[in-house]
Amino acid sequence: MIYLDNAATTALSESARNAMEPYFSTQYGNPSSIYRFGQEARKAVEESRQSIAALLRVSPREIYFTGGGTESDNWALSSVVLERALKKEKSVHLITSTIEHPAVLRTCAFFESLGVKVSRIPVDQRGFLDLEALERALQEESSLQEESSLREREEHSFPSKSGEEAKKGASHCLVSVMAANNEIGTIENLKEIGHLAKKYGAVFHTDAVQAFGQIPLDIEEMQIDLLSASSHKIHGPKGVGLLYIRKGLKLSSFLHGGAQERGLRAGTENVPGIVGFSAAAKEAFSSMEERGRKKAALRNLFFKRLMEEIPGVKISGVNPLKDEGIGALPESPFFSSLHHRLPGNVHICLPGVEGESVLLLLDQKGICASSGSACASGSLEPSHVLLAIGKSHEEAYSGLRLSLEETLTEEELEYTVEAIREAVEKLRG
Ligand code: PLP
């Protein structure tokens, strides 16, 4: 089998498996129990928290373990909505992008159905967020607040607000923009997005499920308040993730019950999962650059060979083979070598064929990949990400995503290119 779907999930690493094993067998205590046996499990959870916090250069008190990326996204969005709703001062405004994962987009749609204001900021053809549109949305919201508070102040003869106070008029807004896209691999300019969110006083959440452990993330520099990550994308176990919550940000509890996770996320901790997540994260961070460089080189070779072999093939998102003059993001040679695209992400459109049909033919040859189309109520929906970057419906159905690991050999890569070439030829008839 040639596994090229690492953005969907990854194999559990040996070190994560070894680290977890005792917590399935001999060390099965409940971390909330006060006897020593339980406290050993507590120690394992807290050491994992410290270790992950150190990797992100934050305090362990800012790391909350969850049941995965989806839960972290739901928690981030819903508790900001609830917290603001409880204050009854201002209505909440969720500002997100058109290319988020369904864990964010559907959560936004749910709150929208309850009357919450939601704005979806467009992206360009490569998947980069329109920063001017984001600023306009924040500015507009800020002016609306300014007007209403001015009216209030006039009615009550209060002095008017200072310029600095007025600038922060979007404190009821939550900006949620992903760090890197799961389909086309575009790495967003979080530094700029964080800067804009802060300029207007908004809370800034990022879904970093695809970025955590793959690319450098600087929570301080990017001014991130909330960050979601997931273990199974980095060779850790499934069903465990984290939400980073900046100290001082008040969020309501997500799961109600026991006092676990500082009373915000009740439920007995997934001790083996947390320990495995921490082991996988340690490995991912320590080898990030080396793996990233290898993967980016394979990714570029993949694109080059696909362009050579398959007539009409189109690279979706950023073309790493061309210097498109995108300004540098965080200054580091490793980061710029990625060309703003996740190192292991290859996404193409194959005009004239359906991605799903290619997948089935690749499966017959032992190759696992993904098309990005989603199954919704029995019918196949074209990828919302491809539509958002301006592809037609037909093109959006023709997508194929290959997400690779550095262990892929050039022989496997050539075998895959040949299999795609054959599949396309067969389907085009
Ligand atoms: N967000 C992004 C960008 C993802 O790619 C995924 C999973 O594919 C998720 C959220 C959901 O994470 P999990 O599978 O841990 O719930």
Side-chain angles (χ1 to χ4, degrees):
M1 180 181 78
I2 302 179
Y3 186 73
L4 294 172
D5 205 13
N6 289 282
T9 197
T10 57
L12 187 67
S13 77
E14 208 179 312
S15 67
R17 184 201 308 258
N18 291 340
M20 291 166 79
E21 205 285 324
Y23 300 94
F24 284 120
S25 49
T26 50
Q27 304 281 348
Y28 54 84
N30 185 325
S32 300
S33 304
I34 55 164
Y35 41 77
R36 232 175 312 149
F37 186 51
Q39 286 311 297
E40 277 162 19
R42 161 70 45 219
K43 189 161 166 267
V45 169
E46 295 317 320
E47 282 176 359
S48 301
R49 198 188 310 278
Q50 279 165 17
S51 164
I52 291 188
L55 297 173
L56 282 172
R57 282 172 286 140
V58 299
S59 157
R61 293 167 72 85
E62 296 173 306
I63 298 292
Y64 295 79
F65 289 115
T66 67
T70 302
E71 183 186 315
S72 302
D73 287 343
N74 272 261
W75 184 5
L77 269 56
S78 58
S79 46
V80 171
V81 172
L82 278 177
E83 198 55 40
R84 299 295 187 278
L86 286 174
K87 283 191 187 153
K88 291 195 180 110
E89 300 163 346
K90 296 172 187 168
S91 53
V92 196
H93 183 177
L94 297 175
I95 303 178
T96 189
S97 85
T98 47
I99 58 165
E100 297 299 307
H101 187 272
V104 167
L105 283 183
R106 297 223 173 113
T107 307
C108 285
F110 168 71
F111 284 116
E112 196 171 34
S113 74
L114 299 181
V116 171
K117 183 172 177 186
V118 176
S119 298
R120 296 167 183 86
I121 307 295
V123 295
D124 70 11
Q125 287 182 346
R126 296 163 303 185
F128 292 116
L129 191 81
D130 181 340
L131 295 172
E132 283 171 14
L134 172 64
E135 178 147 29
R136 270 197 306 277
L138 287 163
Q139 223 162 26
E140 234 170 72
E141 203 55 44
S142 221
S143 329
L144 283 177
Q145 284 311 316
E146 223 181 302
E147 273 169 35
S148 78
S149 79
L150 201 67
R151 236 178 291 122
E152 225 171 76
R153 276 161 198 274
E154 276 170 4
E155 275 163 26
H156 298 93
S157 314
F158 292 153
S160 69
K161 278 188 182 182
S162 71
E164 198 47 41
E165 272 180 297
K167 256 204 272 178
K168 302 273 175 183
S171 62
H172 59 300
C173 294
L174 171 72
V175 173
S176 179
V177 177
M178 67 202 325
N181 184 265
N182 47 304
E183 287 187 40
I184 56 171
T186 306
I187 299 171
E188 296 296 338
N189 190 343
L190 289 198
K191 194 174 154 189
E192 205 45 50
I193 296 166
H195 167 74
L196 286 176
K198 290 301 115 183
K199 184 171 164 191
Y200 294 92
V203 177
F204 177 34
H205 166 249
T206 188
D207 173 344
V209 168
Q210 294 290 338
F212 179 82
Q214 310 285 359
I215 57 168
L217 288 169
D218 188 326
I219 287 186
E220 276 314 309
E221 189 185 38
M222 295 168 170
Q223 306 192 62
I224 297 166
D225 295 312
L226 297 159
L227 176 144
S228 307
S230 177
S231 147
H232 73 109
K233 310 288 186 184
I234 54 161
H235 300 283
K238 294 174 179 55
V240 59
L242 67 82
L243 182 65
Y244 157 81
I245 306 178
R246 179 178 288 278
K247 184 170 172 268
L249 186 69
K250 182 132 175 39
L251 287 197
S252 57
S253 300
F254 185 57
L255 295 180
H256 305 275
Q260 292 91 353
E261 298 303 297
R262 302 162 62 80
L264 294 186
R265 198 267 184 190
T268 303
E269 297 88 341
N270 173 1
V271 183
I274 290 169
V275 169
F277 182 17
S278 154
K282 211 186 240 176
E283 242 184 333
F285 276 73
S286 67
S287 60
M288 185 192 294
E289 189 163 335
E290 191 192 336
R291 280 182 309 109
R293 284 187 190 280
K294 283 187 188 159
K295 283 199 279 189
L298 285 164
R299 171 198 72 187
N300 293 358
L301 180 62
F302 233 129
F303 277 131
K304 181 170 168 288
R305 294 291 298 122
L306 288 164
M307 304 282 277
E308 283 166 358
E309 295 299 324
I310 301 160
V313 68
K314 285 198 182 123
I315 295 178
S316 331
V318 184
N319 181 348
L321 306 179
K322 266 202 321 208
D323 183 6
E324 297 190 316
I326 309 158
L329 297 184
E331 303 293 336
S332 95
F334 165 56
F335 205 88
S336 43
S337 76
L338 300 180
H339 293 275
H340 310 275
R341 184 168 192 129
L342 283 175
N345 176 284
V346 172
H347 194 292
I348 48 172
C349 283
L350 298 159
V353 300
E354 281 197 357
E356 288 290 303
S357 312
V358 177
L359 279 191
L360 296 177
L361 292 172
L362 292 183
D363 188 27
Q364 287 172 11
K365 301 217 157 179
I367 300 167
C368 306
S370 158
S371 76
S373 304
C375 221
S377 50
S379 70
L380 206 62
E381 291 286 322
S383 149
H384 69 283
V385 176
L386 295 185
L387 293 179
I389 62 169
K391 302 274 182 201
S392 65
H393 266 65
E394 201 192 335
E395 283 176 310
Y397 276 119
S398 77
L400 183 69
R401 179 189 72 186
L402 311 164
S403 39
L404 41 104
E405 281 293 306
E406 71 286 0
T407 46
L408 183 79
T409 65
E410 285 195 26
E411 290 72 37
E412 289 171 323
L413 186 152
E414 285 302 332
Y415 176 81
T416 307
V417 172
E418 181 54 20
I420 298 172
R421 195 189 63 75
E422 275 176 24
V424 170
E425 218 163 71
K426 188 169 174 182
L427 292 165
R428 282 181 182 161

